[in-house]
Amino acid sequence: MLEKRGAYDRGMNYDLVVRSSRVLVDGEFQPAAVAVIGDRVVAILEPDAIVETESDVQLADDEVLIPGIVDTHVHVNEPGRTEWEGFATATRAAANGGVTTIVDMPLNSIPPTTTPEALALKREAAAPQAVIDVGFWGGAIPSSLGHLRELWEAGVFGFKAFLSPSGVDEFPHLSTEQLNQAMDEIAAFDGLLIVHAEDPATLDAAPATEGTSYAAFVRSRPDESEESAIAHVIDAVRRTGGRAHILHLSSAAALPMIRRAKDEGLRLTVETCPHYLTFDEEHIDDGATQYKCCPPIRDHANQELLWGALVDGTIDLVASDHSPSTAALKFAGDGDFELAWGGISGLELSFRAVWTGAAARRIPLSTVVKWMSTNTADLVGLGHLGRIAPGSKADLVAFAPDRTFTVAASELAHKNPVSAFDGTELRGEVSRAWLAGALVGDQARGQLLRRR
């Protein structure tokens, strides 16, 4: 029998009660009624508890109740490249996929989020449009070194750095020496550095991309580029005692050094992305530039090693790396991987794509929620998100895990109808979501988050 937890009083009037035969509580699904007052969960009750409430919702038999997904890797691009994506479209797409919080990357907007003034512009753009909550990463580029504390105090959750060219001139990469300068500065105030880890010298020495050949594109971004760059990050973490997070790990070849760093007790976390867990090199056609991303989608054997590293905890979390562009950019060069813009549009589908792959491997839904909600929330210090418990924020999702659908890119809510997931059959349907206790798409409005 479920132990009553939280502010339970038979005479109390709750704002919302959501009942289900399967509610994710303490990592396990169990029958429960989740009681909400204001924007917080205040009690976990027996599923048939008789209480006074303004709204009493019973989920369908095939639906479960989970915390909202927290996606810590999203490129919204507004202001400056709003034709690629914007806060209105990105947050609607996120909500459709069960995501109730995103953290926006400091590029490819213009200006990039590398100063407090640029952060203010981002917040001004997001405030009237966001239908879910939005936080912001800052950027560590050569010109912002020495001034990172100002951005930290303005409320960013950490600092994004590239160790190889980013693809946009206004966000240059850091050299190894500058990486160490950034780690020195960030460690001094116990901030977080998040890193696109590819080594430019290795990339320069690799074979060139050959037109429409996907195999040639993968060879142009070899495993060694990730291994070398990650080794530099690990060295900087070891030297400073600071915190670093490896973004979008693609290469399983780097897993042994990551395991050793974690066994050493270094403060290193790692993510991978839905596209690396869903697609593989063997099934990507030449000229299919909708699959182009950096680092690249590698072969099936590599993919299975990434899944294994998630299960054993070497990889901590999964985030979308939603990186959209216009169709003209994505398909520039008629299938030439050298000319096409890199990036996967998957924000609306990320949770369901990972759940689809997990279910095929008999990995439970509770584990996927941990990777994509609890652990992502913890990465950015938002411990009141990513769980259903008394005191947690009432960001809740009604999810039918066994319903299936085929993705049609033209029906997705993000701005440009381009996605590598187009035509893919996925599991799971988000039937409704609550943000701070209010239905998304109804009275709910997103809030702009600052580091707590």
Side-chain angles (χ1 to χ4, degrees), residues 175-222:
S175 67
T176 302
E177 180 182 358
Q178 289 165 334
L179 164 68
N180 281 287
Q181 292 173 14
M183 279 300 302
D184 285 338
E185 186 176 355
I186 293 167
F189 51 79
D190 200 29
L192 174 64
L193 181 67
I194 64 174
V195 184
H196 180 124
E198 290 183 285
D199 179 68
T202 307
L203 295 177
D204 289 343
T209 300
E210 298 173 4
T212 62
S213 169
Y214 185 74
F217 171 65
V218 175
R219 289 194 297 271
S220 76
R221 321 284 302 200

Short mmCIF file of all heavy atoms in Angstrom, two decimals, residues 175-222:
data_model
loop_
_atom_site.label_atom_id
_atom_site.label_comp_id
_atom_site.label_asym_id
_atom_site.label_seq_id
_atom_site.Cartn_x
_atom_site.Cartn_y
_atom_site.Cartn_z
N SER A 175 41.36 27.30 -28.06
CA SER A 175 42.54 26.46 -28.16
C SER A 175 42.69 25.67 -26.86
O SER A 175 42.01 25.94 -25.87
CB SER A 175 43.78 27.32 -28.39
OG SER A 175 44.03 28.11 -27.22
N THR A 176 43.61 24.72 -26.83
CA THR A 176 43.84 23.96 -25.59
C THR A 176 44.28 24.90 -24.47
O THR A 176 43.85 24.77 -23.31
CB THR A 176 44.90 22.87 -25.82
OG1 THR A 176 44.45 22.01 -26.88
CG2 THR A 176 45.11 22.05 -24.56
N GLU A 177 45.14 25.86 -24.78
CA GLU A 177 45.56 26.84 -23.77
C GLU A 177 44.37 27.64 -23.26
O GLU A 177 44.22 27.87 -22.05
CB GLU A 177 46.61 27.78 -24.36
CG GLU A 177 47.11 28.83 -23.37
CD GLU A 177 48.11 29.79 -23.99
OE1 GLU A 177 48.44 29.62 -25.19
OE2 GLU A 177 48.55 30.72 -23.28
N GLN A 178 43.48 28.05 -24.16
CA GLN A 178 42.31 28.81 -23.75
C GLN A 178 41.30 27.94 -22.98
O GLN A 178 40.64 28.44 -22.07
CB GLN A 178 41.64 29.44 -24.97
CG GLN A 178 42.47 30.58 -25.57
CD GLN A 178 42.02 30.95 -26.96
OE1 GLN A 178 41.44 30.14 -27.70
NE2 GLN A 178 42.27 32.20 -27.35
N LEU A 179 41.20 26.66 -23.33
CA LEU A 179 40.39 25.74 -22.54
C LEU A 179 40.86 25.73 -21.09
O LEU A 179 40.05 25.81 -20.15
CB LEU A 179 40.47 24.33 -23.14
CG LEU A 179 40.00 23.18 -22.24
CD1 LEU A 179 38.50 23.24 -22.01
CD2 LEU A 179 40.42 21.83 -22.83
N ASN A 180 42.16 25.67 -20.90
CA ASN A 180 42.69 25.67 -19.53
C ASN A 180 42.45 27.00 -18.83
O ASN A 180 42.15 27.03 -17.63
CB ASN A 180 44.18 25.31 -19.56
CG ASN A 180 44.41 23.83 -19.72
OD1 ASN A 180 44.20 23.07 -18.78
ND2 ASN A 180 44.83 23.40 -20.90
N GLN A 181 42.54 28.10 -19.56
CA GLN A 181 42.21 29.40 -18.96
C GLN A 181 40.74 29.43 -18.52
O GLN A 181 40.41 29.92 -17.43
CB GLN A 181 42.48 30.51 -19.97
CG GLN A 181 43.94 30.73 -20.30
CD GLN A 181 44.12 31.74 -21.43
OE1 GLN A 181 43.19 32.46 -21.80
NE2 GLN A 181 45.31 31.79 -22.00
N ALA A 182 39.86 28.91 -19.38
CA ALA A 182 38.44 28.90 -19.03
C ALA A 182 38.20 28.04 -17.80
O ALA A 182 37.44 28.42 -16.90
CB ALA A 182 37.63 28.38 -20.22
N MET A 183 38.84 26.85 -17.72
CA MET A 183 38.64 25.98 -16.57
C MET A 183 39.17 26.63 -15.30
O MET A 183 38.55 26.51 -14.22
CB MET A 183 39.33 24.64 -16.80
CG MET A 183 38.53 23.66 -17.65
SD MET A 183 36.91 23.20 -16.93
CE MET A 183 37.41 22.53 -15.36
N ASP A 184 40.29 27.33 -15.38
CA ASP A 184 40.80 28.05 -14.20
C ASP A 184 39.78 29.06 -13.71
O ASP A 184 39.48 29.15 -12.50
CB ASP A 184 42.10 28.79 -14.55
CG ASP A 184 43.30 27.86 -14.68
OD1 ASP A 184 43.26 26.76 -14.12
OD2 ASP A 184 44.28 28.27 -15.35
N GLU A 185 39.24 29.83 -14.65
CA GLU A 185 38.30 30.89 -14.28
C GLU A 185 37.01 30.31 -13.72
O GLU A 185 36.50 30.77 -12.69
CB GLU A 185 38.01 31.74 -15.52
CG GLU A 185 37.15 32.96 -15.24
CD GLU A 185 36.97 33.82 -16.48
OE1 GLU A 185 37.59 33.53 -17.53
OE2 GLU A 185 36.19 34.80 -16.39
N ILE A 186 36.47 29.29 -14.37
CA ILE A 186 35.18 28.73 -13.97
C ILE A 186 35.30 27.95 -12.66
O ILE A 186 34.42 28.01 -11.80
CB ILE A 186 34.62 27.85 -15.10
CG1 ILE A 186 34.27 28.73 -16.30
CG2 ILE A 186 33.41 27.06 -14.65
CD1 ILE A 186 34.00 27.98 -17.58
N ALA A 187 36.42 27.24 -12.48
CA ALA A 187 36.61 26.50 -11.23
C ALA A 187 36.68 27.43 -10.03
O ALA A 187 36.29 27.05 -8.92
CB ALA A 187 37.88 25.66 -11.32
N ALA A 188 37.13 28.66 -10.23
CA ALA A 188 37.26 29.61 -9.12
C ALA A 188 35.92 29.94 -8.50
O ALA A 188 35.86 30.27 -7.30
CB ALA A 188 37.96 30.88 -9.60
N PHE A 189 34.82 29.88 -9.28
CA PHE A 189 33.51 30.11 -8.68
C PHE A 189 32.63 28.86 -8.76
O PHE A 189 31.42 28.93 -8.59
CB PHE A 189 32.80 31.33 -9.30
CG PHE A 189 32.73 31.36 -10.80
CD1 PHE A 189 31.78 30.60 -11.49
CD2 PHE A 189 33.59 32.17 -11.54
CE1 PHE A 189 31.70 30.65 -12.87
CE2 PHE A 189 33.51 32.23 -12.93
CZ PHE A 189 32.56 31.47 -13.59
N ASP A 190 33.25 27.71 -8.98
CA ASP A 190 32.59 26.40 -9.02
C ASP A 190 31.45 26.39 -10.04
O ASP A 190 30.36 25.87 -9.77
CB ASP A 190 32.06 26.00 -7.64
CG ASP A 190 31.82 24.50 -7.55
OD1 ASP A 190 32.52 23.75 -8.25
OD2 ASP A 190 30.91 24.09 -6.80
N GLY A 191 31.73 26.95 -11.22
CA GLY A 191 30.78 26.89 -12.31
C GLY A 191 30.92 25.60 -13.09
O GLY A 191 31.61 24.66 -12.67
N LEU A 192 30.27 25.54 -14.23
CA LEU A 192 30.24 24.34 -15.06
C LEU A 192 30.62 24.71 -16.49
O LEU A 192 30.02 25.61 -17.08
CB LEU A 192 28.84 23.71 -15.04
CG LEU A 192 28.60 22.51 -15.96
CD1 LEU A 192 29.48 21.32 -15.56
CD2 LEU A 192 27.12 22.11 -15.94
N LEU A 193 31.60 23.98 -17.04
CA LEU A 193 31.98 24.14 -18.44
C LEU A 193 31.42 22.95 -19.22
O LEU A 193 31.63 21.80 -18.85
CB LEU A 193 33.51 24.16 -18.58
CG LEU A 193 34.05 24.34 -20.01
CD1 LEU A 193 33.71 25.73 -20.54
CD2 LEU A 193 35.55 24.09 -20.05
N ILE A 194 30.67 23.25 -20.29
CA ILE A 194 30.13 22.19 -21.14
C ILE A 194 30.82 22.30 -22.50
O ILE A 194 30.98 23.39 -23.03
CB ILE A 194 28.59 22.27 -21.24
CG1 ILE A 194 28.13 23.56 -21.92
CG2 ILE A 194 27.98 22.17 -19.85
CD1 ILE A 194 26.63 23.63 -22.18
N VAL A 195 31.23 21.15 -23.07
CA VAL A 195 32.22 21.18 -24.13
C VAL A 195 31.80 20.37 -25.34
O VAL A 195 31.44 19.19 -25.23
CB VAL A 195 33.58 20.64 -23.61
CG1 VAL A 195 34.64 20.77 -24.70
CG2 VAL A 195 34.01 21.37 -22.35
N HIS A 196 31.85 21.04 -26.51
CA HIS A 196 31.84 20.33 -27.79
C HIS A 196 33.26 19.84 -28.02
O HIS A 196 34.17 20.62 -28.31
CB HIS A 196 31.39 21.26 -28.91
CG HIS A 196 31.36 20.61 -30.26
ND1 HIS A 196 30.23 20.58 -31.04
CD2 HIS A 196 32.31 19.96 -30.98
CE1 HIS A 196 30.49 19.94 -32.18
NE2 HIS A 196 31.75 19.56 -32.16
N ALA A 197 33.45 18.52 -27.88
CA ALA A 197 34.79 17.96 -27.81
C ALA A 197 35.17 17.25 -29.11
O ALA A 197 34.95 16.05 -29.29
CB ALA A 197 34.90 17.00 -26.62
N GLU A 198 35.73 18.00 -30.04
CA GLU A 198 36.41 17.47 -31.20
C GLU A 198 37.70 18.26 -31.36
O GLU A 198 37.72 19.48 -31.21
CB GLU A 198 35.56 17.60 -32.47
CG GLU A 198 34.34 16.69 -32.52
CD GLU A 198 33.60 16.84 -33.84
OE1 GLU A 198 32.91 17.88 -34.00
OE2 GLU A 198 33.70 15.96 -34.70
N ASP A 199 38.78 17.55 -31.67
CA ASP A 199 40.10 18.18 -31.76
C ASP A 199 40.35 18.67 -33.18
O ASP A 199 40.31 17.88 -34.13
CB ASP A 199 41.17 17.16 -31.36
CG ASP A 199 42.56 17.74 -31.44
OD1 ASP A 199 42.86 18.63 -30.63
OD2 ASP A 199 43.32 17.33 -32.34
N PRO A 200 40.63 19.97 -33.37
CA PRO A 200 40.78 20.49 -34.73
C PRO A 200 41.99 19.95 -35.47
O PRO A 200 41.93 19.77 -36.69
CB PRO A 200 40.89 22.01 -34.51
CG PRO A 200 41.32 22.18 -33.10
CD PRO A 200 40.71 21.03 -32.35
N ALA A 201 43.08 19.66 -34.78
CA ALA A 201 44.26 19.12 -35.46
C ALA A 201 43.96 17.75 -36.04
O ALA A 201 44.37 17.42 -37.17
CB ALA A 201 45.43 19.04 -34.49
N THR A 202 43.21 16.94 -35.29
CA THR A 202 42.83 15.61 -35.79
C THR A 202 41.89 15.74 -36.97
O THR A 202 41.98 14.98 -37.95
CB THR A 202 42.19 14.79 -34.67
OG1 THR A 202 43.04 14.78 -33.53
CG2 THR A 202 41.92 13.37 -35.11
N LEU A 203 40.95 16.68 -36.89
CA LEU A 203 40.03 16.89 -38.00
C LEU A 203 40.78 17.35 -39.25
O LEU A 203 40.49 16.91 -40.37
CB LEU A 203 38.97 17.92 -37.62
CG LEU A 203 38.00 17.53 -36.49
CD1 LEU A 203 37.07 18.69 -36.18
CD2 LEU A 203 37.20 16.29 -36.84
N ASP A 204 41.76 18.23 -39.06
CA ASP A 204 42.53 18.73 -40.21
C ASP A 204 43.31 17.61 -40.89
O ASP A 204 43.53 17.64 -42.11
CB ASP A 204 43.48 19.84 -39.77
CG ASP A 204 42.75 21.13 -39.41
OD1 ASP A 204 41.58 21.27 -39.79
OD2 ASP A 204 43.37 21.98 -38.74
N ALA A 205 43.74 16.63 -40.10
CA ALA A 205 44.56 15.54 -40.64
C ALA A 205 43.71 14.42 -41.23
O ALA A 205 44.26 13.53 -41.91
CB ALA A 205 45.46 14.98 -39.55
N ALA A 206 42.42 14.45 -41.00
CA ALA A 206 41.54 13.38 -41.47
C ALA A 206 41.27 13.52 -42.96
O ALA A 206 41.44 14.59 -43.55
CB ALA A 206 40.23 13.42 -40.69
N PRO A 207 40.83 12.43 -43.62
CA PRO A 207 40.46 12.53 -45.04
C PRO A 207 39.35 13.55 -45.24
O PRO A 207 38.52 13.76 -44.36
CB PRO A 207 39.97 11.11 -45.37
CG PRO A 207 40.55 10.24 -44.31
CD PRO A 207 40.66 11.08 -43.07
N ALA A 208 39.33 14.17 -46.38
CA ALA A 208 38.32 15.18 -46.67
C ALA A 208 36.97 14.54 -46.93
O ALA A 208 36.88 13.38 -47.35
CB ALA A 208 38.74 16.00 -47.90
N THR A 209 35.91 15.32 -46.66
CA THR A 209 34.57 14.89 -47.05
C THR A 209 34.50 14.80 -48.58
O THR A 209 35.06 15.63 -49.29
CB THR A 209 33.53 15.92 -46.56
OG1 THR A 209 33.63 15.99 -45.14
CG2 THR A 209 32.12 15.50 -46.92
N GLU A 210 33.83 13.75 -49.07
CA GLU A 210 33.77 13.52 -50.51
C GLU A 210 32.33 13.64 -51.00
O GLU A 210 31.61 12.65 -51.13
CB GLU A 210 34.34 12.15 -50.84
CG GLU A 210 35.81 11.98 -50.48
CD GLU A 210 36.29 10.56 -50.68
OE1 GLU A 210 35.51 9.72 -51.18
OE2 GLU A 210 37.45 10.27 -50.32
N GLY A 211 31.88 14.84 -51.23
CA GLY A 211 30.57 15.06 -51.83
C GLY A 211 29.45 14.42 -51.07
O GLY A 211 29.23 14.68 -49.89
N THR A 212 28.72 13.52 -51.75
CA THR A 212 27.50 12.95 -51.17
C THR A 212 27.74 11.69 -50.35
O THR A 212 26.80 11.13 -49.80
CB THR A 212 26.50 12.60 -52.30
OG1 THR A 212 27.09 11.61 -53.15
CG2 THR A 212 26.14 13.83 -53.12
N SER A 213 28.97 11.23 -50.23
CA SER A 213 29.26 9.98 -49.53
C SER A 213 29.14 10.15 -48.02
O SER A 213 29.90 10.91 -47.40
CB SER A 213 30.67 9.49 -49.87
OG SER A 213 31.05 8.43 -49.02
N TYR A 214 28.18 9.42 -47.40
CA TYR A 214 28.06 9.51 -45.95
C TYR A 214 29.25 8.85 -45.26
O TYR A 214 29.77 9.36 -44.26
CB TYR A 214 26.75 8.90 -45.43
CG TYR A 214 26.62 9.12 -43.94
CD1 TYR A 214 26.31 10.40 -43.44
CD2 TYR A 214 26.89 8.12 -43.03
CE1 TYR A 214 26.26 10.64 -42.07
CE2 TYR A 214 26.82 8.34 -41.65
CZ TYR A 214 26.51 9.61 -41.19
OH TYR A 214 26.47 9.85 -39.84
N ALA A 215 29.73 7.73 -45.79
CA ALA A 215 30.88 7.05 -45.19
C ALA A 215 32.10 7.97 -45.18
O ALA A 215 32.87 8.00 -44.20
CB ALA A 215 31.19 5.77 -45.95
N ALA A 216 32.30 8.73 -46.24
CA ALA A 216 33.42 9.66 -46.29
C ALA A 216 33.25 10.78 -45.26
O ALA A 216 34.22 11.23 -44.65
CB ALA A 216 33.56 10.24 -47.69
N PHE A 217 32.00 11.22 -45.07
CA PHE A 217 31.76 12.25 -44.05
C PHE A 217 32.15 11.73 -42.67
O PHE A 217 32.81 12.44 -41.89
CB PHE A 217 30.30 12.68 -44.07
CG PHE A 217 29.92 13.57 -42.92
CD1 PHE A 217 30.47 14.83 -42.78
CD2 PHE A 217 29.03 13.12 -41.95
CE1 PHE A 217 30.15 15.64 -41.69
CE2 PHE A 217 28.69 13.92 -40.86
CZ PHE A 217 29.26 15.18 -40.74
N VAL A 218 31.77 10.50 -42.34
CA VAL A 218 32.14 9.93 -41.04
C VAL A 218 33.65 9.84 -40.90
O VAL A 218 34.22 10.18 -39.85
CB VAL A 218 31.48 8.55 -40.84
CG1 VAL A 218 31.96 7.91 -39.53
CG2 VAL A 218 29.96 8.68 -40.82
N ARG A 219 34.34 9.42 -41.96
CA ARG A 219 35.81 9.33 -41.90
C ARG A 219 36.45 10.70 -41.69
O ARG A 219 37.53 10.81 -41.10
CB ARG A 219 36.35 8.70 -43.19
CG ARG A 219 36.08 7.22 -43.33
CD ARG A 219 36.92 6.59 -44.44
NE ARG A 219 36.62 7.14 -45.76
CZ ARG A 219 35.69 6.67 -46.57
NH1 ARG A 219 34.94 5.64 -46.21
NH2 ARG A 219 35.50 7.21 -47.77
N SER A 220 35.76 11.76 -42.12
CA SER A 220 36.31 13.11 -41.95
C SER A 220 36.19 13.61 -40.52
O SER A 220 36.79 14.62 -40.16
CB SER A 220 35.61 14.08 -42.90
OG SER A 220 34.31 14.42 -42.44
N ARG A 221 35.39 12.91 -39.68
CA ARG A 221 35.25 13.27 -38.25
C ARG A 221 35.55 12.01 -37.44
O ARG A 221 34.67 11.42 -36.81
CB ARG A 221 33.84 13.77 -37.93
CG ARG A 221 33.16 14.65 -38.94
CD ARG A 221 33.62 16.07 -38.98
NE ARG A 221 33.54 16.84 -37.79
CZ ARG A 221 33.56 18.19 -37.79
NH1 ARG A 221 33.61 18.86 -38.93
NH2 ARG A 221 33.53 18.86 -36.66
N PRO A 222 36.79 11.57 -37.40
CA PRO A 222 37.12 10.25 -36.82
C PRO A 222 36.96 10.22 -35.30
O PRO A 222 36.95 11.25 -34.62
CB PRO A 222 38.58 10.04 -37.22
CG PRO A 222 39.13 11.42 -37.37
CD PRO A 222 37.99 12.24 -37.92
#
